[in-house]
Amino acid sequence: MAALRSWSRPGRRADLLATAWQAGETNVSALAEAARISRPTVYADLRSRGIDPDRRKGTNMILDLSPLDIEGFTGVGEQLDAEYDAALLRYSKKHPGADMEEGRTEGMRLVGLMDTTYRYADVRHLLVHEQVARADRDRLLHQVELRWEALSTAPAWLAAHHAYVVAVDEARIAIDMWRERAEPALRRPFFCSSPRDEAAYRQIQEAGHPALEPALADLDQTPTQTAEILRANLDQAHEYRRQLAAETLHFTQSVSQ
């Protein structure tokens, strides 16, 4: 009973999660399973203890979409042909005595660079938008909990309850928006299928752009299922809270009469 009381004490779960995190357990899914809570709740608890889960070891948050320029290749689909022709022209001017075989080798290298840069830009774009949507989803789910807790001491109860209802609606929207961005990111893997691709990928990273593998590994592998669970948990909690709020409202109206 003492352990149960300790567990239910406000903040106890967050303290235990923070302790586990600092001890090296930085797998959010594993923490959620151990605590029997959702991933967003893990994020919220950790942040309440000053821990940013997005900075965990082995995770690469891609926070910007800085323009690419790898030997003139920008990764923009509409410009691929023009960029390739320009790259070939630069090579021929720089190597006027190159034979056919040398030109062919360089042409294949440029094809690999063009293709890898394009695929990198495409996947990076999807990852950035998934990560932004995920952070927004978790923030708004946490906001629901904060708004509900605020009702206990709110002097303007109706206004505070309306803020809670709005927070629930915003969280629903955020879950759907995250799913819409997570599914395309999950379907678009990034890989290098040849030494030319690997060399091009190294060039991209040497130019200061982040590797994609850590962010890809951190993708939710079942975004549709996760979104359904998050929505179901949110709606179930909201329905129960709606019943509680109705009792409070009924009592308030009785007193005012």
Side-chain angles (χ1 to χ4, degrees), residues 199-211:
Y201 188 33
R202 284 195 299 273
Q203 275 187 262
I204 292 172
Q205 294 178 74
E206 289 167 359
H209 303 287

Side-chain angles (χ1 to χ4, degrees), residues 6-22 31 40-53 142 146 149:
S6 175
W7 175 257
S8 62
R9 192 175 72 244
R12 175 61 172 162
R13 184 188 64 216
D15 290 339
L16 292 174
L17 285 170
T19 300
W21 183 277
Q22 291 161 354
L31 289 170
T41 302
V42 173
Y43 280 99
D45 280 351
L46 290 173
R47 289 186 176 118
S48 74
R49 294 300 179 268
I51 297 172
D52 184 356
H142 184 47
L146 294 178
E149 291 174 7

Side-chain angles (χ1 to χ4, degrees), residues 18-228:
T19 300
W21 183 277
Q22 291 161 354
E25 180 51 76
T26 58
N27 186 309
V28 173
S29 295
L31 289 170
E33 181 180 358
R36 300 297 188 267
I37 55 178
S38 66
R39 282 168 54 102
T41 302
V42 173
Y43 280 99
D45 280 351
L46 290 173
R47 289 186 176 118
S48 74
R49 294 300 179 268
I51 297 172
D52 184 356
D54 293 330
R55 299 297 184 186
R56 59 190 176 275
K57 182 178 179 182
T59 297
N60 183 10
M61 287 297 291
I62 303 175
L63 300 177
D64 67 88
L65 286 171
S66 54
L68 293 169
D69 187 355
I70 312 300
E71 293 189 34
F73 292 106
T74 62
V76 178
E78 296 80 4
Q79 301 176 11
L80 292 180
D81 291 341
E83 290 172 351
Y84 179 75
D85 292 342
L88 275 181
L89 182 60
R90 287 193 299 271
Y91 175 80
S92 62
K93 288 181 177 179
K94 190 174 181 180
H95 303 86
D99 59 27
M100 185 178 297
E101 184 60 28
E102 291 172 335
R104 179 178 177 279
T105 300
E106 177 62 10
M108 293 300 294
R109 186 188 75 83
L110 291 174
V111 167
L113 184 58
M114 175 184 66
D115 177 66
T116 303
T117 303
Y118 172 73
R119 290 188 296 108
Y120 176 93
D122 182 38
V123 173
R124 183 184 66 168
H125 176 85
L126 293 171
L127 286 173
V128 167
H129 285 81
E130 186 276 334
Q131 290 173 342
V132 170
R134 189 196 323 173
D136 202 39
R137 176 203 72 185
D138 295 345
R139 178 183 63 82
L140 289 170
L141 283 169
H142 184 47
Q143 186 72 9
V144 170
E145 303 306 314
L146 294 178
R147 295 294 189 192
W148 175 252
E149 291 174 7
L151 281 174
S152 299
T153 56
W157 192 87
L158 287 177
H161 185 266
H162 177 68
Y164 160 73
V165 172
V166 170
V168 171
D169 187 59
E170 290 177 341
R172 290 190 184 115
I173 294 171
I175 291 170
D176 291 339
M177 290 183 66
W178 166 75
R179 176 184 54 77
E180 291 173 1
R181 286 156 179 75
E183 289 173 345
L186 184 65
R187 291 196 298 266
R188 202 76 57 86
F190 179 82
F191 58 90
C192 295
S193 59
S194 70
R196 280 194 302 269
D197 293 349
E198 293 173 358
Y201 188 33
R202 284 195 299 273
Q203 275 187 262
I204 292 172
Q205 294 178 74
E206 289 167 359
H209 303 287
L212 300 181
E213 290 84 356
L216 287 167
D218 197 47
L219 281 175
D220 192 313
Q221 298 300 302
T222 57
T224 299
Q225 180 180 353
T226 298
E228 290 175 352

